[in-house]
Amino acid sequence: QVQLVESGGGLVQAGDSLRLSCAASGRALSSRSMGWFRQAPGKEREFVAVITWAGGSAYYADSVKGRFAISRDNAKNTVYLQMNGLKPEDTAVYYCGAIDGVAAVDAVEYWGKGTLVIVSS
């Protein structure tokens, strides 16, 4: 069984913060890492951040480094994405993915259905 469910998206103003959650179950819990990706209107899906279940090692895209923070709570089987200093260009559908290989879109084994984040000026 594989299940990834994102939550926490919404409509905010530039400079605001949001915390996204990804509840994992089934085989996603056996993956090495969990990642966050996003897809803006008319653009390709892109990598945002990734974290390992075991050690909590994290890696970020340059576009969000210093503003976003990924974390996980193994006891709750949940991965979070804390987004601070949001900008209009952060507007996108944010997806959670289970990963055993490199942190790339085409390496994701399982996807959630996404949660929408809209940042207005």
Side-chain angles (χ1 to χ4, degrees), residues 102-117:
V102 298
V105 171
D106 57 2
V108 174
E109 296 289 322
Y110 309 106
W111 291 103
K113 293 182 178 179
T115 185
L116 178 62
V117 173

Side-chain angles (χ1 to χ4, degrees), residues 36-106:
W36 285 100
F37 302 78
R38 66 187 182 185
Q39 187 165 19
K43 300 185 69 175
E44 299 285 335
R45 190 170 299 187
E46 65 177 1
F47 166 77
V48 175
V50 65
I51 190 168
T52 59
W53 281 117
S57 299
Y59 180 77
Y60 300 90
D62 289 341
S63 59
V64 305
K65 192 173 184 179
R67 297 188 297 121
F68 292 8
I70 189 171
S71 62
R72 87 275 189 266
D73 187 332
N74 293 61
K76 296 181 179 179
N77 297 331
T78 301
V79 178
Y80 305 96
L81 184 68
Q82 179 67 46
M83 305 187 295
N84 299 322
L86 284 164
K87 304 175 181 179
E89 51 262 46
D90 294 319
T91 295
V93 176
Y94 284 72
Y95 298 91
C96 175
I99 311 165
D100 279 328
V102 298
V105 171
D106 57 2

Side-chain angles (χ1 to χ4, degrees), residues 5-60:
V5 181
E6 302 95 336
S7 62
L11 174 63
V12 298
Q13 292 182 287
D16 285 353
S17 297
L18 278 176
R19 191 191 197 195
L20 306 183
S21 297
C22 174
S25 62
R27 297 193 182 278
L29 299 175
S30 297
S31 66
R32 182 174 299 276
S33 306
M34 297 292 292
W36 285 100
F37 302 78
R38 66 187 182 185
Q39 187 165 19
K43 300 185 69 175
E44 299 285 335
R45 190 170 299 187
E46 65 177 1
F47 166 77
V48 175
V50 65
I51 190 168
T52 59
W53 281 117
S57 299
Y59 180 77
Y60 300 90

